[in-house]
């Protein structure tokens, strides 16, 4: 998990929501309320404009646009995290967004994730990157993915129906949205790998395997037996 988390944006909302997110972050970072680091992070969360508070620069073909003032640089320095804290914050954001995603789709639950851990990893990675509502937001291009996954998980599917649902899922994942043009990156390769593992897990379920044939007879040489399935 990359530790890049826009905690300020995640905390935007009414006062109760902001307080809830701030407390969750403080607990994830294992900081005491009176600690200097948390006091600095409080200022960050309460800033009305994060770009103004931290400064905002953009790298493009012409170089870097924007300028960081001394005050903004000091603000940046005050909220720097240790590698361990950055990892903890990343895990908090990962689990939070996956929980939002799971609670928004009735066909997803811990039983499904236990059976298909590769699906949990795929959806967790996408939720971490795009937010827990990525399968319902029109602007992200994944609104058809929900139906495709739901269909792939249908326990009443025939083998051909499961294969068709998985084909639709692959199309929803990689033929539109971010990953239509994002090839051979670490993230897209990770998603490809997890999808292929999910595909294999679904298509090799015991119900799709032919039942073994067994010989039933009296066990005496020359006796006639029957083959049962």
């Amino acid at each position: 998990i990359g530790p890049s988390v826009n905690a300020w944006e995640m905390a935007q909302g009414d006062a109760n929501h902001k307080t809830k997110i701030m407390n969750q972050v403080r607990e994830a970072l294992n900081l005491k309320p009176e600690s200097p680091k948390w006091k600095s992070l409080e200022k960050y969360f309460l800033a009305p404009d994060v770009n103004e508070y931290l400064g905002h620069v953009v790298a493009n073909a012409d170089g870097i646009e924007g300028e960081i003032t001394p005050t903004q640089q000091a603000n940046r320095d005050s909220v720097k995290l240790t590698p361990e804290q950055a990892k903890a914050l990343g895990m908090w954001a990962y689990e939070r967004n996956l929980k939002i995603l799971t609670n928004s789709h009735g066909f997803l639950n811990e039983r499904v994730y236990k059976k298909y851990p590769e699906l949990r990893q795929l959806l967790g990675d996408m939720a971490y990157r795009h937010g827990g509502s990525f399968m319902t937001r029109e602007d992200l291009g994944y609104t058809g993915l929900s139906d495709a996954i739901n269909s792939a998980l249908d326990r009443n599917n025939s083998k051909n129906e499961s294969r068709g649902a998985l084909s639709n899922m692959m199309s929803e994942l990689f033929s539109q949205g971010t990953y239509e043009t994002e090839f051979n990156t670490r993230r897209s390769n990770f998603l490809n790998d997890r999808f292929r593992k999910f595909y294999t897990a679904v298509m090799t379920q015991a119900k799709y395997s032919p039942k073994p044939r067994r010989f039933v007879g009296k066990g005496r040489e020359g006796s006639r037996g029957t083959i049962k399935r």
Side-chain angles (χ1 to χ4, degrees):
I1 297 176
S4 178
V5 176
N6 191 342
W8 181 90
E9 183 177 358
M10 294 171 72
Q12 296 313 294
D14 61 29
N16 288 336
H17 173 76
K18 187 183 290 287
T19 298
K20 180 180 178 180
I21 296 300
M22 289 171 65
N23 286 336
Q24 288 178 3
V25 170
R26 183 175 58 77
E27 290 172 4
L29 298 178
N30 196 27
L31 294 173
K32 295 184 181 298
E34 66 276 10
S35 69
K37 175 60 69 176
W38 179 244
K39 293 299 183 183
S40 296
L41 285 167
E42 273 188 321
K43 292 180 181 178
Y44 156 79
F45 276 115
L46 297 175
D49 185 333
V50 71
N51 288 335
E52 178 63 28
Y53 186 72
L54 297 179
H56 184 62
V57 295
V58 178
N60 55 35
D62 298 324
I64 296 178
E65 291 185 1
E67 186 175 333
I68 305 297
T69 68
T71 299
Q72 290 168 337
Q73 185 59 57
N75 291 340
R76 289 179 170 225
D77 293 340
S78 72
V79 296
K80 281 184 178 179
L81 303 178
T82 66
E84 292 76 16
Q85 288 173 330
K87 183 177 180 181
L89 184 62
M91 288 303 302
W92 165 79
Y94 181 99
E95 294 296 339
R96 180 178 183 275
N97 281 307
L98 180 59
K99 184 177 181 180
I100 291 172
L101 177 74
T102 302
N103 290 343
S104 300
H105 301 279
F107 55 88
L108 297 175
N109 52 59
E110 289 304 319
R111 179 185 59 79
V112 168
Y113 293 150
K114 184 176 181 179
K115 184 176 182 180
Y116 301 112
E118 53 282 320
L119 178 64
R120 186 186 196 279
Q121 293 166 351
L122 184 152
L123 293 177
D125 189 86
M126 293 187 71
Y128 178 80
R129 184 178 190 183
H130 305 295
S133 303
F134 78 89
M135 287 201 295
T136 58
R137 284 180 52 184
E138 295 282 349
D139 58 313
L140 293 178
Y142 298 108
T143 53
L145 183 58
S146 173
D147 287 341
I149 297 174
N150 190 18
S151 181
L153 293 172
D154 191 334
R155 289 182 291 179
N156 296 318
N157 278 350
S158 67
K159 191 169 186 177
N160 283 337
E161 287 171 332
S162 287
R163 184 181 291 110
L166 289 164
S167 178
N168 289 339
M169 181 179 170
M170 182 173 66
S171 178
E172 292 291 338
L173 275 170
F174 303 115
S175 297
Q176 58 189 347
T178 302
Y179 307 103
E180 181 181 13
T181 55
E182 193 175 282
F183 299 112
N184 293 323
T185 64
R186 181 179 179 181
R187 190 179 296 271
S188 64
N189 289 339
F190 173 84
L191 295 178
N192 262 294
D193 176 76
R194 293 309 184 271
F195 171 76
R196 292 180 184 280
K197 289 179 178 177
F198 176 61
Y199 184 103
T200 299
V202 170
M203 296 305 296
T204 57
Q205 294 179 85
K207 70 176 183 177
Y208 296 147
S209 301
K211 294 181 180 179
R213 297 170 54 163
R214 62 189 180 93
F215 182 79
V216 178
K218 295 181 179 179
R220 178 171 56 84
E221 184 178 355
S223 65
R224 176 174 292 182
T226 59
I227 299 294
K228 289 191 175 182
R229 291 183 178 274

